[in-house]
Short mmCIF file of all heavy atoms in Angstrom, two decimals:
data_model
loop_
_atom_site.label_atom_id
_atom_site.label_comp_id
_atom_site.label_asym_id
_atom_site.label_seq_id
_atom_site.Cartn_x
_atom_site.Cartn_y
_atom_site.Cartn_z
N PRO A 61 8.44 21.25 3.71
CA PRO A 61 8.58 19.79 3.70
C PRO A 61 7.29 19.09 3.30
O PRO A 61 6.19 19.62 3.47
CB PRO A 61 8.98 19.45 5.13
CG PRO A 61 9.56 20.73 5.68
CD PRO A 61 8.75 21.82 5.03
N GLN A 99 9.64 -0.85 27.37
CA GLN A 99 10.88 -1.23 28.03
C GLN A 99 11.21 -2.70 27.76
O GLN A 99 10.35 -3.57 27.90
CB GLN A 99 10.79 -1.00 29.54
CG GLN A 99 12.11 -1.21 30.27
CD GLN A 99 12.00 -0.91 31.75
OE1 GLN A 99 11.12 -1.42 32.43
NE2 GLN A 99 12.90 -0.08 32.25
N PHE A 151 10.40 8.46 0.14
CA PHE A 151 10.42 8.35 -1.32
C PHE A 151 11.52 9.25 -1.89
O PHE A 151 11.81 10.32 -1.33
CB PHE A 151 9.06 8.69 -1.94
CG PHE A 151 8.63 10.13 -1.77
CD1 PHE A 151 8.84 11.06 -2.79
CD2 PHE A 151 8.01 10.55 -0.61
CE1 PHE A 151 8.44 12.39 -2.64
CE2 PHE A 151 7.60 11.87 -0.45
CZ PHE A 151 7.81 12.79 -1.47
N GLY A 158 11.39 15.14 11.10
CA GLY A 158 10.92 14.21 12.11
C GLY A 158 11.45 14.59 13.47
O GLY A 158 12.56 15.11 13.59
N ASP A 214 29.98 -0.56 8.71
CA ASP A 214 31.40 -0.25 8.82
C ASP A 214 31.76 1.02 8.06
O ASP A 214 32.73 1.70 8.40
CB ASP A 214 32.24 -1.43 8.32
CG ASP A 214 32.02 -2.66 9.18
OD1 ASP A 214 32.21 -2.57 10.40
OD2 ASP A 214 31.62 -3.71 8.63
N SER A 263 21.88 12.85 5.82
CA SER A 263 22.73 12.14 4.88
C SER A 263 21.83 11.56 3.80
O SER A 263 20.64 11.32 4.04
CB SER A 263 23.51 11.02 5.57
OG SER A 263 24.32 11.52 6.62
N LEU A 316 35.85 0.49 -0.65
CA LEU A 316 35.18 -0.59 0.07
C LEU A 316 35.93 -1.91 -0.05
O LEU A 316 35.76 -2.80 0.80
CB LEU A 316 33.74 -0.75 -0.43
CG LEU A 316 32.85 0.50 -0.32
CD1 LEU A 316 31.42 0.17 -0.72
CD2 LEU A 316 32.89 1.10 1.07
N PRO A 348 37.79 -3.39 29.53
CA PRO A 348 37.42 -4.77 29.84
C PRO A 348 37.04 -5.51 28.55
O PRO A 348 36.20 -5.03 27.79
CB PRO A 348 36.22 -4.61 30.78
CG PRO A 348 35.68 -3.25 30.50
CD PRO A 348 36.84 -2.41 30.07
N GLY A 354 25.59 -9.10 23.82
CA GLY A 354 25.58 -8.61 22.44
C GLY A 354 24.14 -8.32 22.06
O GLY A 354 23.25 -9.16 22.27
N THR A 391 16.32 -7.05 18.48
CA THR A 391 15.21 -6.10 18.44
C THR A 391 14.81 -5.85 16.99
O THR A 391 15.48 -5.10 16.29
CB THR A 391 15.60 -4.77 19.11
OG1 THR A 391 16.05 -5.01 20.44
CG2 THR A 391 14.41 -3.82 19.14
N GLY A 423 13.78 0.16 22.76
CA GLY A 423 14.36 -0.66 23.81
C GLY A 423 15.72 -0.19 24.30
O GLY A 423 15.92 0.99 24.62
N GLU A 438 28.66 -2.19 38.00
CA GLU A 438 29.91 -2.93 37.82
C GLU A 438 30.52 -2.61 36.45
O GLU A 438 29.81 -2.36 35.47
CB GLU A 438 29.65 -4.43 37.94
CG GLU A 438 29.19 -4.85 39.32
CD GLU A 438 28.80 -6.32 39.40
OE1 GLU A 438 28.55 -6.93 38.33
OE2 GLU A 438 28.74 -6.85 40.52
N PRO A 458 27.08 3.83 34.46
CA PRO A 458 28.18 4.62 33.91
C PRO A 458 29.43 3.80 33.63
O PRO A 458 30.34 4.26 32.93
CB PRO A 458 28.45 5.67 34.99
CG PRO A 458 27.99 5.03 36.26
CD PRO A 458 26.80 4.19 35.87
N PRO A 507 13.55 -10.38 1.24
CA PRO A 507 13.11 -11.78 1.36
C PRO A 507 12.68 -12.37 0.01
O PRO A 507 11.91 -11.74 -0.73
CB PRO A 507 11.93 -11.69 2.33
CG PRO A 507 11.45 -10.28 2.24
CD PRO A 507 12.66 -9.45 1.93
N ASP A 514 0.57 -9.91 9.35
CA ASP A 514 -0.86 -10.01 9.62
C ASP A 514 -1.46 -8.63 9.90
O ASP A 514 -2.42 -8.21 9.27
CB ASP A 514 -1.11 -10.93 10.82
CG ASP A 514 -1.10 -12.40 10.43
OD1 ASP A 514 -1.21 -12.68 9.22
OD2 ASP A 514 -0.97 -13.24 11.33
N GLU A 529 -12.82 14.31 21.08
CA GLU A 529 -12.42 15.04 22.29
C GLU A 529 -11.08 14.51 22.79
O GLU A 529 -10.87 13.30 22.89
CB GLU A 529 -13.48 14.88 23.37
CG GLU A 529 -13.21 15.72 24.61
CD GLU A 529 -14.31 15.61 25.64
OE1 GLU A 529 -15.24 14.79 25.44
OE2 GLU A 529 -14.25 16.33 26.65
N SER A 533 -6.18 14.87 31.94
CA SER A 533 -6.59 15.02 33.33
C SER A 533 -5.70 16.02 34.05
O SER A 533 -4.47 15.95 33.96
CB SER A 533 -6.53 13.67 34.06
OG SER A 533 -6.69 13.84 35.46
N PRO A 546 6.58 33.30 29.18
CA PRO A 546 6.46 34.77 29.17
C PRO A 546 7.31 35.41 28.09
O PRO A 546 8.39 34.92 27.75
CB PRO A 546 6.96 35.17 30.57
CG PRO A 546 7.87 34.05 30.99
CD PRO A 546 7.27 32.81 30.39
N ASP A 549 10.69 41.24 28.33
CA ASP A 549 10.18 42.56 28.71
C ASP A 549 10.93 43.71 28.05
O ASP A 549 10.64 44.88 28.29
CB ASP A 549 10.22 42.72 30.23
CG ASP A 549 11.63 42.66 30.81
OD1 ASP A 549 12.61 42.65 30.03
OD2 ASP A 549 11.76 42.61 32.05
N THR A 591 16.48 17.88 34.95
CA THR A 591 17.22 18.86 34.16
C THR A 591 18.69 18.93 34.58
O THR A 591 19.01 19.25 35.73
CB THR A 591 16.58 20.25 34.29
OG1 THR A 591 15.20 20.16 33.90
CG2 THR A 591 17.30 21.27 33.40
N GLU A 613 24.16 26.91 49.76
CA GLU A 613 24.28 25.46 49.93
C GLU A 613 24.41 24.77 48.57
O GLU A 613 24.03 25.32 47.53
CB GLU A 613 23.05 24.92 50.66
CG GLU A 613 22.85 25.48 52.05
CD GLU A 613 21.56 24.97 52.68
OE1 GLU A 613 20.79 24.29 51.97
OE2 GLU A 613 21.33 25.27 53.86
N MET A 650 13.20 22.95 26.63
CA MET A 650 11.99 23.39 27.33
C MET A 650 12.15 23.33 28.84
O MET A 650 11.62 24.18 29.57
CB MET A 650 10.79 22.54 26.90
CG MET A 650 10.42 22.71 25.44
SD MET A 650 8.91 21.82 25.01
CE MET A 650 7.66 22.93 25.69
N LEU A 673 16.62 25.65 21.45
CA LEU A 673 16.71 26.75 22.42
C LEU A 673 16.08 28.02 21.85
O LEU A 673 15.33 28.72 22.54
CB LEU A 673 18.18 27.00 22.80
CG LEU A 673 18.86 25.92 23.63
CD1 LEU A 673 20.37 26.18 23.70
CD2 LEU A 673 18.27 25.86 25.04
N PHE A 706 19.45 43.85 20.59
CA PHE A 706 19.57 42.52 19.99
C PHE A 706 19.29 42.61 18.48
O PHE A 706 18.21 43.00 18.06
CB PHE A 706 18.57 41.59 20.67
CG PHE A 706 18.78 40.12 20.44
CD1 PHE A 706 19.91 39.61 19.83
CD2 PHE A 706 17.80 39.21 20.86
CE1 PHE A 706 20.08 38.25 19.64
CE2 PHE A 706 17.96 37.85 20.67
CZ PHE A 706 19.10 37.36 20.06
#
Side-chain angles (χ1 to χ4, degrees):
Q99 188 177 52
F151 66 97
D214 297 305
S263 301
L316 303 186
T391 304
E438 295 174 342
D514 278 344
E529 186 177 5
S533 169
D549 63 9
T591 304
E613 299 176 354
M650 295 185 77
L673 291 169
F706 195 10

